[in-house]
Structures are given as structure tokens and as C-alpha cells.
Amino acid sequence: DQVNFLLPQLLRIANKYGYPGCRKDVINLLKDAKNLPDTTLYALARSYDYEEDINNSYNLDKVEKGFKRFEELVRLNPDFETIVGSIKTKTANSKMNAFLNLLIIDDKEKSKEILKKIEYDKDNISYAKNILMSCEENAILFTNGDNDTYQLIYVQEKLGYRNDVTVLNYSLLNLDSYIKFFKSQELRSVERPFPIQTISQEFYENDEKAFISVNNNSKNSVSIKKALSSLERYNKLPKTIYLETPKNEKIEINLSRGIFRSDLVILDILANFKWQRPLCFINSQQTLNNFFKTNSSGQITNTGILEYLLIEGAVQKLVPYKLVNNNKINASKTYDFLTEKFLLNDIYSCSNIDMQ
């Protein structure tokens, strides 16, 4: 009866889901309801989860109400599938998001308490370790979504595995608070240069600069460093810039579509890393989507920086030399990972792989 009573109101919200305040409406409508269907219970848990914004205030009590709803769904239907995988994985991801948010607002004690409550299954842990072991020492690793970020930070922070690697989520780099956190201190207390230096924090915090337009009339390509050095004065970037290698080779970067704040952070890193720290990507084409040229159909017409990405194990590493099609995989290193090092959880064995 309760579900039948709520259904018309749920449909009214669902038809306009995504409007400002929709999550608050879902919470107000469902917070006291009992015996909710799985999908409705999931919607309520997610509404608690996403209602809080670290750029404004962060109410852990409200977020923990979401945890309880996620955990309730785990008990009721442990096979419930979400867009990021099982409900167990989604629940762990939600708690890892809270852990990271608490670190960002410098509440280390509460973040430690949250971390104690998080558990990932063996497959998630193996996946995360495989990604991290693919990175060279002190690498900066760019990730994109929940499942290639939170598990990695979990095995670093809770299991102490490969915490020399800095994991940067491309989507979260659009948040000035996330940028500030990594500029001031990394998750681990390992001393190593963190190359976000050219653009001021004030510029990153200016919401009017969340998207940077490009001067498509500019004809000359300039270095990333030079382009960024004049950005705060002119508020535009030239359409073509380059990253210089130690052997003075110029890696072309095309910005003709404009860039977001997260792209600007990557350019800031490229301008200052001086090839001293390895830069790795889980999905370089997605992360660097605004750095190469495409036509109206979305087809790549000028690969530019993509020609300098070498596959090693489960990641792609930026290298200071152009790669040809048949040489874009470090075959011997990747073979070694597949046959000797990767944690495969007995799903299959790579011991009989033929390099030919």
C-alpha cells in the first residue's frame, strides 16, 4: 500500500530527475518509508550519497544515512547490480568517496574511521594492484571513473600497497578543493615534486574559469609553459601548443575545442614535470580527449600526443619519443606482467601465452 501511494510521486520526480534539488526531494519523500523496492532503495541511498558537496559543506551524518541504505540493500539483495558493478562494490565506492572528501577538508580522524569500515572483494583488490604494479616508481596515474580510482586508493591507504603512486581522478580535477588538496599535500607523506605550479590556486578557484576558451586565430605553436604563463592575463590559450622532450622533440597538443579545469591541471603538470616523474594513464584517449584534433564525426584527424603513449602492463605511459603502430606496446614488460606478476585470482592462466 505504501509503495502504491508513493509511486505517483516517484514518477513525478523521475520525469524531472536531475533538476536542482531533486535529491533533496527524493530524501524528503522516502526517508521514513519502509519495505522499499530495490531500485527505489538504491535511489534513496544515492540521493544521500550525492547530496553533499565538499565545495560547500560536508555533512557526514547525512552521508552515513546513505551508507545504511546501501548496506540494507546489500543484505536484501546482494546480487543487485549497479552501473559500477555489484551493490557491494558501489557501497565500498561510496565510503571511499567519503574517505577522500574527509581528507580534502582535513578531517583525518573521521577519514580513518571511515576507512576501517571499507572492504573490497578479492577481484577488486587484485584489479587495483595490477594497475598500480604496472606503474613505475613515483608515477602520477590519471584515472577516470569510480572503479579505476577508489579501489586503487583503498589498497594504497588501507593495505599500504604502492603508495608511491599519486592517483589523480580526471573528473575530480574539476573541483578546486581537490586541486588544492593535491597541491598542498598528497595522500601519502612521501617527499617528491608535485608539478602543479604555473597556474595560481585563485585562478583554479574562479568558477568563471572552469572552461577555458581558445584563440583559434593564433597561428604559431608555443610551449605549454609559455601558454600557461600568459593565461591569467589573457584568459585564452592558443589553439596549438607543444610539450618539449629532453631531445628537443615537440609533442603537439591541439586545443581547438577549448578545455576544462581538469584539462588545465594536466597541462600544468605537463609544463612542470620535466620528465622526472612517470605520467601514466588508464585510458589516455578519454583523459586527453581535448588534446588532439577530431573532425565533426569524432574521428581523430591528428593524433598528436597519443603517438607518445606506450602500453606497459595495464597502463599507458607518456614517453619522450614518437611510437609507430607496431611499437606501441612494451611487449616484454607486458608479457612479464601477464604471466608472472598480475593477480588473476585463478580465473584464467596466462602461462601458455605465445609471444609470437
Side-chain angles (χ1 to χ4, degrees):
D1 290 342
Q2 185 180 33
V3 172
N4 291 332
F5 171 74
L6 290 171
L7 187 58
Q9 299 179 70
L10 286 171
L11 290 174
R12 174 178 56 81
I13 289 177
N15 287 335
K16 299 179 180 178
Y17 196 78
Y19 64 87
C22 65
R23 296 184 179 101
K24 188 175 292 184
D25 284 349
V26 171
I27 292 171
N28 289 336
L29 180 64
L30 300 175
K31 62 183 178 181
D32 297 321
K34 307 294 183 184
N35 302 318
L36 292 172
D38 292 351
T39 52
T40 308
L41 183 58
Y42 179 60
L44 177 58
R46 286 196 62 179
S47 294
Y48 278 119
D49 199 29
Y50 290 101
E51 177 68 12
E52 295 308 302
D53 181 358
I54 59 171
N55 277 339
N56 295 311
S57 60
Y58 192 73
N59 186 333
L60 182 60
D61 291 338
K62 186 179 288 186
V63 174
E64 287 185 321
K65 289 179 180 178
F67 295 167
K68 291 178 181 179
R69 297 295 188 168
F70 280 127
E71 290 162 356
E72 181 181 352
L73 185 50
V74 169
R75 290 192 300 272
L76 293 172
N77 185 1
D79 296 323
F80 184 87
E81 286 293 317
T82 76
I83 195 170
V84 298
S86 73
I87 187 60
K88 293 179 181 179
T89 298
K90 174 60 182 175
T91 301
N93 285 354
S94 176
K95 293 177 180 179
M96 279 303 302
N97 180 59
F99 165 77
L100 186 55
N101 287 340
L102 289 166
L103 279 184
I104 289 171
I105 64 174
D106 202 29
D107 195 334
K108 294 183 176 61
E109 292 305 314
K110 286 184 180 178
S111 70
K112 290 178 183 177
E113 291 302 312
I114 291 290
L115 190 60
K116 291 177 183 177
K117 302 175 183 178
I118 304 172
E119 295 292 340
Y120 280 101
D121 62 28
K122 185 169 67 172
D123 289 340
N124 275 293
I125 291 173
S126 296
Y127 166 77
K129 287 185 174 181
N130 291 343
I131 296 288
L132 291 169
M133 76 169 68
S134 300
C135 298
E136 293 182 355
E137 185 177 2
N138 289 335
I140 296 173
L141 173 63
F142 293 97
T143 65
N144 297 90
D146 291 0
N147 281 357
D148 62 10
T149 302
Y150 294 130
Q151 289 91 328
L152 275 62
I153 297 175
Y154 171 84
V155 300
Q156 288 180 317
E157 295 302 309
K158 190 164 184 178
L159 307 183
Y161 182 82
R162 286 303 306 272
N163 53 21
D164 59 292
V165 177
T166 298
V167 177
L168 289 181
N169 180 279
Y170 174 77
S171 299
L172 293 178
L173 284 173
N174 281 301
L175 301 175
D176 60 83
S177 53
Y178 186 74
I179 299 169
K180 185 177 181 180
F181 172 72
F182 277 100
K183 285 183 71 174
S184 62
Q185 60 176 14
E186 296 190 50
L187 290 179
R188 276 72 54 197
S189 57
V190 179
E191 291 187 6
R192 54 192 184 273
F194 190 64
I196 302 182
Q197 301 169 2
T198 307
I199 304 300
S200 69
Q201 184 62 28
E202 289 74 21
F203 191 89
Y204 281 125
E205 291 176 359
N206 187 342
D207 286 339
E208 294 182 359
K209 312 298 182 185
F211 180 82
I212 306 297
S213 59
V214 170
N215 179 9
N216 280 306
N217 294 321
S218 59
K219 297 181 179 180
N220 297 325
S221 181
V222 300
S223 70
I224 299 177
K225 190 83 169 180
K226 184 175 181 180
L228 296 189
S229 296
S230 60
L231 175 60
E232 295 191 49
R233 180 179 178 184
Y234 297 107
N235 295 315
K236 281 191 176 184
L237 289 169
K239 66 179 180 180
T240 306
I241 59 178
Y242 64 82
L243 168 66
E244 195 164 341
T245 71
K247 292 186 177 181
N248 300 319
E249 189 173 342
K250 294 180 179 178
I251 302 175
E252 182 179 306
I253 297 174
N254 187 286
L255 307 176
S256 57
R257 290 170 291 180
I259 64 170
F260 295 96
R261 182 183 285 151
S262 51
D263 302 311
L264 183 59
V265 173
I266 296 175
L267 290 180
D268 204 347
I269 290 173
L270 289 173
N272 294 288
F273 83 119
K274 301 176 182 178
W275 299 94
Q276 294 175 349
R277 294 185 65 179
L279 300 187
C280 298
F281 303 83
I282 288 180
N283 186 334
S284 61
Q285 193 164 323
Q286 183 177 353
T287 305
L288 302 174
N289 182 56
N290 291 320
F291 290 174
F292 50 85
K293 197 171 183 179
T294 60
N295 60 23
S296 58
S297 301
Q299 296 175 315
I300 299 174
T301 57
N302 187 337
T303 50
I305 193 171
L306 297 182
E307 295 180 326
Y308 295 80
L309 289 155
L310 179 68
I311 297 173
E312 292 189 345
V315 301
Q316 297 161 287
K317 183 182 73 173
L318 184 68
V319 294
Y321 49 88
K322 184 180 287 189
L323 300 162
V324 295
N325 286 333
N326 294 329
N327 194 32
K328 291 189 174 181
I329 300 176
N330 186 332
S332 61
K333 194 170 185 178
T334 300
Y335 176 78
D336 184 50
F337 277 124
L338 286 169
T339 58
E340 302 293 337
K341 296 179 180 178
F342 276 173
L343 306 172
L344 302 175
N345 294 342
D346 299 324
I347 297 174
Y348 56 88
S349 173
C350 292
S351 59
N352 295 319
I353 288 179
D354 186 347
M355 284 292 285
Q356 299 301 317

